[in-house]
Amino acid sequence: MSEGASKKEEKPRKLQVVRGTRDLLPPETALWNRVEQTAHSVFTTYGFGEIRLPIFEQSELFARSIGTETDVVSKEMYSWVEGWEDANFAIFREWSIKRDPESAKVLGLMSPLRASKPREKRDLGSLSQNTTMTLDGVETIARFRYRVELTDVFELQNAGMAYQQQGRAMPQLLLVTVPSTIPDGMESIAAKANVRLEKIHIDDFEPPQLLALRPEATASVCRAYLEHGMQQLPQPVKLYYMGPMFRRERPQKGRYRQFYQIGAEVLGGSDAPAIDAEVVEMVMAFFDKLELQGVQLDINSIGCRECRPKYVDLLRAELLKVKDKLGPDSQRRIETNPLRVLDSKVKEEQPVIEKLPRIADHLCEACAAHYSAVKRQLEMRGVIYRENWRLVRGLDYYMRTTFEITAKGLGSQNAVCGGGRYDGLVELLGGPPTKGIGFAIGEDRLILSLQESGKAPAQQGRDVYIAWMGERAHATAIRAAKDLRKAGFSVELPPLELKFGKALGQADKLGAKYALILGDNEVSEGLWTLKTLADGSQAKLPEPALIEHLRKSKLVSS
Ligand code: HAM
């Protein structure tokens, strides 16, 4: 059998959506739209403006704000290096030009050279100032068999060992782009390892960047606040956003790798407890408007830079005393992040956790006063809350007020909204001291909960189905469809002629309210037949009366 023939028989592999992502289809998307429209209108009444942010950012933005030790950053971020090969190619070409202009000509014709990616992405933090690469010796390079590696002082040290273990000679040359500083100690380590250092200058050098799909948007809002000098605007600045976020989590009901958030942030100005309370009031008003069922608001204060570390030390000491009563995850967290032990859902650990010291008893005076004022403010606004001393959030930037909202019908992933105060985050991103508070709603979960409690809209029907037969009727039908749509009615106009019986059957299947019947008779008489599909009644109407008739009956039926 020829190759061509065998290929023909092979069925192309069916492609499917990537695990943890999903298609959102009608009629469900109508509910998504309703939810988003409601967010636009409710948030606007509280003076928030919409911000639209990029889907990807520099990875460092999230590492710095959410925290490198958090699950979100350390395990769940979709990140990649961009421009790695281009940058290395540029360095290599520049170096070749310096060394041998003739070989550079050949190089210029070569397809982009293969460079191996860095093994340790986290080492790329300083990449933008300091791109270096090692090459496997000059002779190897000339034959285009070479190796490129990210390296710094320590890697250079380690590389020596690694090369030895693999029985290979150490690279002889290290190229460093300028302007950049050669890290302290690099020269001497290089000399010791018998590696020559060479500086390469490249105009408009674009260093590789470590980028990431956003796992959340608070960090991006803070970056944008700084980048656009929003400190100059009247404070606080109130912004909201909606869109997809990405986390490589284990997918399950209510947990996806691409999920959607609707969030809001208040930046700048004071940290008045009324701001915290108003933000919470706004989410609750939004949920109320959507008639979300079983809404439960939990609040807590996790203190500030002054009091929290002291509490964490105390908690760690207490946890160490009961270590053997805890499971392996919690045991590990005693060292890495003791607060997260409070989050544990492991049944056997619950009695132990209940006896642990509570942060509310260890807040500094200012935090305690802030917390009571927030509670008072919530009461003034009629917002019902439950204090939950075990509510610690999974992102590092929080301080003082934290809150979470759960809703009905969600199973184990029942947090539909999470938020809190994050004074200090803008500063961490290189800005001036700035107050901040906000929340993000998991839109997928919100929709799930609304669906579970029967709030989903039914299949979207059509107002009018136009059943036409004959060329003249087709022309009239096209005009009628256009006019009806212009008047705001949803219209289905079949592209091919159908027998009236079949057309009416289709109209039924599509859930149309009316069928407009246009045949030769109707067109020549100028009297159109409008059939109400629910009861089969018919009316004869002149063309100009049709829209008015539909308008009236639509008002009556809705
Ligand atoms: P978060 O608690 O990580 O906070 O996420 C907020 C909400 O997003 C969660 O309560 C949940 O409803 C939803 N969510 C999170 N991960 C997933 C997932 N894998 N699948 C489906 N839904 C998910 C934040 O993101 C903070 N930026 C909130 C914030 C804003 N704090 C201050 N300002």
Side-chain angles (χ1 to χ4, degrees):
M1 205 190 290
S2 75
E3 202 187 311
S6 75
K7 266 204 180 129
K8 245 186 214 161
E9 278 170 23
E10 253 176 50
K11 252 191 160 179
R13 191 167 65 90
K14 241 200 232 159
L15 293 172
Q16 286 183 331
V17 78
V18 174
R19 193 167 123 84
T21 71
R22 23 185 220 142
D23 301 310
L24 303 171
L25 310 173
E28 192 184 305
T29 39
L31 181 56
W32 284 75
N33 282 326
R34 180 156 75 80
V35 162
E36 288 165 14
Q37 279 311 323
T38 310
H40 287 298
S41 69
V42 172
F43 295 176
T44 307
T45 63
Y46 281 81
F48 282 70
E50 186 185 4
I51 181 166
R52 296 197 183 197
L53 299 154
I55 301 281
F56 57 92
E57 298 259 9
Q58 291 195 45
S59 189
E60 195 187 341
L61 173 67
F62 305 115
R64 255 208 261 170
S65 51
I66 301 169
T68 45
E69 294 301 320
T70 57
D71 285 354
V72 172
V73 170
S74 69
K75 298 190 206 149
E76 297 166 2
M77 220 154 60
Y78 287 95
S79 54
W80 69 97
V81 184
E82 183 148 308
W84 180 255
E85 294 191 2
D86 289 349
N88 281 302
F89 183 57
I91 297 171
F92 185 54
R93 192 186 48 214
E94 212 53 45
W95 172 74
S96 307
I97 291 169
K98 245 171 75 178
R99 181 172 163 265
D100 176 359
E102 280 308 304
S103 86
K105 265 190 215 153
V106 180
L107 261 174
L109 297 172
M110 298 291 296
S111 56
L113 298 159
R114 293 261 148 249
S116 63
K117 294 238 161 72
R119 285 157 306 169
E120 291 286 320
K121 283 189 192 160
R122 65 188 163 75
D123 286 343
L124 282 164
S126 57
L127 202 63
S128 48
Q129 295 98 42
N130 193 12
T131 298
T132 57
M133 67 182 196
T134 57
L135 304 168
D136 248 353
V138 175
E139 285 311 306
T140 330
I141 298 160
R143 280 186 268 117
F144 310 109
R145 275 183 25 238
Y146 66 100
R147 220 180 126 74
V148 184
E149 253 176 23
L150 174 76
T151 179
D152 62 12
V153 181
F154 304 104
E155 239 187 278
L156 195 60
Q157 262 171 336
N158 295 338
M161 274 160 60
Y163 278 96
Q164 260 175 10
Q165 277 165 7
Q166 291 166 20
R168 299 186 305 138
M170 234 337 239
Q172 297 152 23
L173 181 66
L174 178 64
L175 299 177
V176 183
T177 54
V178 283
S180 79
T181 45
I182 295 181
D184 280 349
M186 177 90 101
E187 303 243 15
S188 65
I189 289 169
K192 237 191 263 166
N194 229 356
V195 173
R196 195 154 52 83
L197 276 182
E198 205 173 301
K199 280 192 169 189
I200 305 278
H201 177 83
I202 302 171
D203 288 332
D204 304 324
F205 180 67
E206 277 192 51
Q209 284 186 298
L210 183 56
L211 303 178
L213 292 181
R214 60 181 189 190
E216 59 110 54
T218 308
S220 305
V221 173
C222 292
R223 179 205 40 74
Y225 176 83
L226 274 177
E227 195 161 336
H228 301 286
M230 290 192 230
Q231 310 96 298
Q232 313 309 327
L233 301 174
Q235 304 293 302
V237 173
K238 303 199 262 185
L239 298 166
Y240 74 93
Y241 51 85
M242 48 186 82
M245 309 290 157
F246 305 85
R247 297 183 194 175
R248 196 188 282 108
E249 293 197 81
R250 198 171 47 78
Q252 64 179 89
K253 180 185 169 192
R255 188 159 73 193
Y256 311 99
R257 292 181 167 178
Q258 174 172 340
F259 61 99
Y260 294 77
Q261 281 188 344
I262 299 177
E265 316 289 347
V266 180
L267 284 160
S270 85
D271 60 356
I275 296 181
D276 306 44
E278 193 178 75
V279 162
V280 174
E281 180 197 313
M282 182 170 87
V283 201
M284 297 302 265
F286 172 58
F287 286 162
D288 206 39
K289 189 134 197 200
L290 291 171
E291 296 178 46
L292 184 68
Q293 302 296 301
V295 176
Q296 166 74 56
L297 163 69
D298 280 12
I299 62 163
N300 193 18
S301 171
I302 57 164
C304 64
R305 249 173 291 176
E306 291 302 311
C307 52
R308 194 180 36 224
K310 290 183 202 148
Y311 170 71
V312 171
D313 284 348
L314 175 72
L315 186 64
R316 185 178 282 125
E318 290 302 312
L319 283 168
L320 282 172
K321 288 186 202 157
V322 291
K323 189 172 177 181
D324 22 322
K325 294 191 187 130
L326 300 171
D329 278 347
S330 290
Q331 286 197 1
R332 198 167 18 85
R333 287 188 172 136
I334 298 179
E335 287 316 318
T336 55
N337 190 352
L339 282 174
R340 298 287 299 180
V341 178
L342 305 181
D343 237 3
S344 159
K345 307 269 182 312
V346 180
K347 206 167 149 230
E348 298 71 38
E349 295 180 353
Q350 302 309 310
V352 183
I353 295 174
E354 275 307 308
K355 289 195 204 103
L356 291 168
R358 304 180 170 207
I359 188 150
D361 303 327
H362 298 273
L363 293 176
C364 63
E365 221 172 283
C367 285
H370 191 269
Y371 188 35
S372 352
V374 169
K375 286 185 279 185
R376 211 168 38 247
Q377 280 283 340
L378 286 173
E379 282 148 25
M380 282 164 68
R381 288 154 208 267
V383 175
I384 298 167
Y385 62 86
R386 175 173 75 181
E387 282 185 78
N388 178 357
W389 70 277
R390 286 175 59 176
L391 175 65
V392 289
R393 309 257 310 122
L395 315 171
D396 278 359
Y397 50 61
Y398 291 110
M399 53 128 20
R400 290 195 172 163
T401 313
T402 53
F403 57 95
E404 235 164 57
I405 301 171
T406 52
K408 207 170 123 182
L410 293 174
S412 62
Q413 302 303 314
N414 63 350
V416 75
C417 172
R421 179 163 282 288
Y422 49 83
D423 305 346
L425 176 52
V426 170
E427 221 173 330
L428 206 67
L429 298 176
T434 308
K435 309 292 180 196
I437 181 163
F439 64 81
I441 293 161
E443 194 177 355
D444 308 71
R445 293 183 192 177
L446 174 57
I447 299 277
L448 259 175
S449 179
L450 291 172
Q451 285 169 328
E452 300 268 324
S453 47
K455 297 271 178 252
Q459 176 82 35
Q460 187 201 351
R462 313 285 192 283
D463 293 322
V464 182
Y465 184 100
I466 304 183
W468 59 270
M469 273 186 86
E471 263 321 292
R472 271 179 71 207
H474 193 191
T476 310
I478 290 172
R479 195 183 70 233
K482 209 168 166 185
D483 290 346
L484 285 167
R485 285 170 176 152
K486 206 167 162 190
F489 294 99
S490 75
V491 176
E492 192 65 31
L493 175 66
L496 297 173
E497 184 175 287
L498 295 175
K499 295 244 161 60
F500 283 131
K502 192 152 188 204
L504 291 175
Q506 262 211 0
D508 243 357
K509 272 193 215 143
L510 289 173
K513 289 195 197 107
Y514 298 96
L516 177 64
I517 299 169
L518 294 177
D520 284 342
N521 283 350
E522 278 81 4
V523 175
S524 44
E525 282 173 21
L527 271 182
W528 297 0
T529 307
L530 188 71
K531 186 175 168 127
T532 308
L533 290 164
D535 58 14
S537 63
Q538 294 201 11
K540 287 252 176 200
L541 297 164
E543 181 177 352
L546 178 75
I547 290 182
E548 207 35 52
H549 178 87
L550 284 171
R551 270 214 184 106
K552 275 193 194 138
S553 48
K554 202 175 178 191
L555 281 179
V556 173
S557 67
S558 59

